[in-house]
Amino acid sequence: MATASTGDASAIDRELWDRLRVGDHFALGELFDRYADDVRAFAFRRTASWSTADDVVQATFLSTWRRFQRNPPGPLTGASARGWLLIVAGNECRTLARAASRLRGLVDRLPDPAPDDDHAPDVARRLDDERRMSAIRRAVAKLPRHERETLELVVWSGLTTAEAAEALGVPVGTVKARLHRTRRRFPDLLTRVALNEELS
C-alpha cells in the first residue's frame, strides 16, 4: 500500500469514519484494509500468540461495526482512526484472554487434525516468535496498566505521543511522563522491545 501523507491519511480516515456513522459497511472494509495489520501486530504483542492476534483483528472490526450501528461515536477528532481501533483491540485482547481460560480445557480434549503438508518450518518460526514475545510480555507486565498501555501504543504501534494521548483521553504531557517513568524504572525494557520489532 502506498504511503499517504499525514494530511491525506487524516482526510481519508475522517471520510471513512463519517461513512461508518451513517451505516456504510464498505467503509469498515476500507478501514480494515488500512489498519488490520497494525491491529494484528498490536494484538500479537499483547498476547504473544499469532492465532489469538488473528482473532483480535476479527473481534476488533466486528465490535467497531456493532458500536457504530448501536451508538455511533462523534466525528473523528484525532489524526487517524488507528488509535481508536487499537484501544478497541486492547479491550478485545482482555475479553479473549478471559474466554481462553474458560475454553482451554475443551480445546485440550479436541482430536488432533489430520496430517497435512509439512508446515514444520512455519510452525517453528511462529513458536519461536511466541516464546520471545512471552518473555517480553513478562517484563511489560511489571508496569502499571496505564504505563503498559502507553508503551504499547507509542513504542510498539508507532503512534505519536499526540495520537496516543487522543486515544487514551489524556494530555500529551501525561503520555510523555509515563514513557519517562517506564525508561527510568526499567532502563533495559524499551531496548528489549525495540530488538523484537521484527516480530510485527
Side-chain angles (χ1 to χ4, degrees):
M1 181 173 68
T3 303
S5 71
T6 302
D8 292 342
S10 296
I12 292 168
D13 280 13
R14 279 195 297 272
E15 179 199 344
L16 293 175
W17 191 270
D18 289 341
R19 286 168 52 197
L20 262 180
R21 293 178 70 217
V22 296
D24 182 350
H25 66 277
F26 292 109
L28 183 71
E30 292 178 50
L31 269 183
F32 182 92
D33 291 341
R34 289 170 66 76
Y35 296 117
D37 288 343
D38 291 335
V39 171
R40 184 173 186 260
F42 174 90
F44 174 70
R45 290 164 175 152
R46 265 287 184 96
T47 65
S49 166
W50 286 117
S51 61
T52 302
D54 290 336
D55 291 343
V56 169
V57 171
Q58 294 178 30
T60 295
F61 286 92
L62 179 59
S63 176
T64 296
W65 177 249
R66 287 176 175 161
R67 166 70 193 277
F68 274 83
Q69 290 292 291
R70 210 174 39 243
N71 182 24
L76 181 64
T77 56
S80 78
R82 187 164 66 125
W84 193 88
L85 289 168
L86 294 181
I87 294 297
V88 175
N91 293 335
E92 295 300 335
C93 286
R94 285 188 286 275
T95 299
L96 287 173
R98 288 192 295 267
S101 67
R102 292 191 297 268
L103 294 174
R104 198 168 289 120
L106 173 62
V107 172
D108 289 343
R109 293 193 297 272
L110 291 175
D112 291 334
D116 203 347
D117 294 335
D118 184 11
H119 299 291
D122 185 53
V123 170
R125 180 191 57 78
R126 289 167 64 98
L127 289 174
D128 188 50
D129 284 354
E130 292 179 1
R131 273 193 296 273
R132 286 189 289 166
M133 199 66 222
S134 291
I136 292 174
R137 286 303 308 169
R138 285 193 293 275
V140 171
K142 296 175 184 174
L143 296 171
R145 177 175 167 180
H146 61 277
E147 290 183 23
R148 185 170 64 244
E149 289 178 340
T150 302
L151 177 141
E152 290 167 344
L153 292 175
V154 176
V155 178
W156 278 347
S157 299
L159 266 64
T160 65
T161 52
E163 289 171 331
E166 173 76 25
L168 294 167
V170 299
V172 172
T174 300
V175 171
K176 291 179 179 177
R178 290 175 182 176
L179 291 171
H180 178 72
R181 282 195 299 272
T182 300
R183 288 188 185 99
R184 202 175 63 232
R185 194 175 303 154
F186 299 102
D188 67 327
L189 179 57
L190 298 190
T191 301
R192 290 168 62 188
V193 168
L195 289 174
N196 282 271
E197 287 304 281
E198 72 274 9
L199 299 182
S200 67

